[in-house]
Amino acid sequence: MSTPTNLLDEVLDSWYEVRKGLIREIQNIPPARFTFRPTLETRNVTELMQHVLEVAITTVEELLREDTNFHRVPYMQLLRSYAPNIHRADTQEKLIDLLVEQYKDASLRIRNAGELFMLQLVTKVDGGKATRFAMLQDAIAHESYHRGQMTVFVRLLGIVPALTRDQELPPLPTFSSQG
């Protein structure tokens, strides 16, 4: 990863690091354990990763519209409209592939939209205003939160988290922060 030269690169590089860590945790979990859920009320590993992807896809697709408005319809309806088939990513391999491809596609499209576009104000879920950058950073924070949650799942499974033993894991699929 290169040194960011502008705000856009900095934000996308931050997302890359979060996404890379999330993928490392998923690689760390045996595929047979993807149905693990800490309690009956929580998502299992697969459902949690589907949720992360659903929010990431929805955020990027809505942010890249000329008329971005997260308040146009109820948020759950936005999620269903932008990621209606997310349940098809139901294996470790499919989830990792989609996490890689979604980041690559999103970062390229966001870079092409440009920094000035990302600095424009848009309507948030609550009807308030924020820049597209702020909304993207919220989505990155959401993903980071669930990355932490995944490390708890890993510990509950009796596995050392990937960040702790990163050198021992298989290499990541090839993708870069530069799209």
Side-chain angles (χ1 to χ4, degrees), residues 1-17:
M1 187 165 45
S2 61
T3 302
T5 58
N6 57 50
L7 181 60
L8 187 57
D9 286 342
E10 187 173 53
V11 171
L12 291 173
D13 285 356
S14 172
W15 187 15
Y16 173 78
E17 290 302 320

Side-chain angles (χ1 to χ4, degrees), residues 22 48-57 99 142-143 146:
L22 187 61
L48 185 58
M49 289 304 94
Q50 289 169 341
H51 168 70
V52 166
L53 280 158
E54 181 179 53
V55 170
I57 290 165
L99 284 162
H142 171 264
E143 192 165 315
H146 287 303

Side-chain angles (χ1 to χ4, degrees), residues 15-65:
W15 187 15
Y16 173 78
E17 290 302 320
V18 171
R19 181 62 60 95
K20 183 173 71 170
L22 187 61
I23 291 169
R24 289 242 186 255
E25 288 307 337
I26 294 168
Q27 288 177 323
N28 204 18
I29 300 172
R33 301 306 311 263
F34 269 53
T35 57
F36 171 77
R37 69 180 75 238
T39 69
L40 294 176
E41 297 82 23
T42 61
R43 294 176 173 114
N44 66 31
V45 173
T46 299
E47 293 163 345
L48 185 58
M49 289 304 94
Q50 289 169 341
H51 168 70
V52 166
L53 280 158
E54 181 179 53
V55 170
I57 290 165
T58 298
T59 300
V60 170
E61 293 305 317
E62 187 64 28
L63 284 178
L64 290 174
R65 291 175 61 119

Side-chain angles (χ1 to χ4, degrees), residues 88-133:
R88 291 183 183 164
D90 59 358
T91 66
Q92 182 185 46
E93 182 180 0
K94 288 177 185 178
L95 288 164
I96 290 171
D97 287 349
L98 189 52
L99 284 162
V100 169
E101 290 306 314
Q102 190 274 329
Y103 175 85
K104 286 169 64 174
D105 176 69
S107 63
L108 177 64
R109 291 172 60 212
I110 290 168
R111 281 184 209 289
N112 288 339
E115 205 164 312
L116 289 177
F117 182 78
M118 294 300 290
L119 287 167
Q120 294 173 355
L121 289 176
V122 297
T123 305
K124 302 186 312 179
V125 172
D126 66 4
K129 298 288 186 182
T131 65
R132 285 182 169 90
F133 267 124

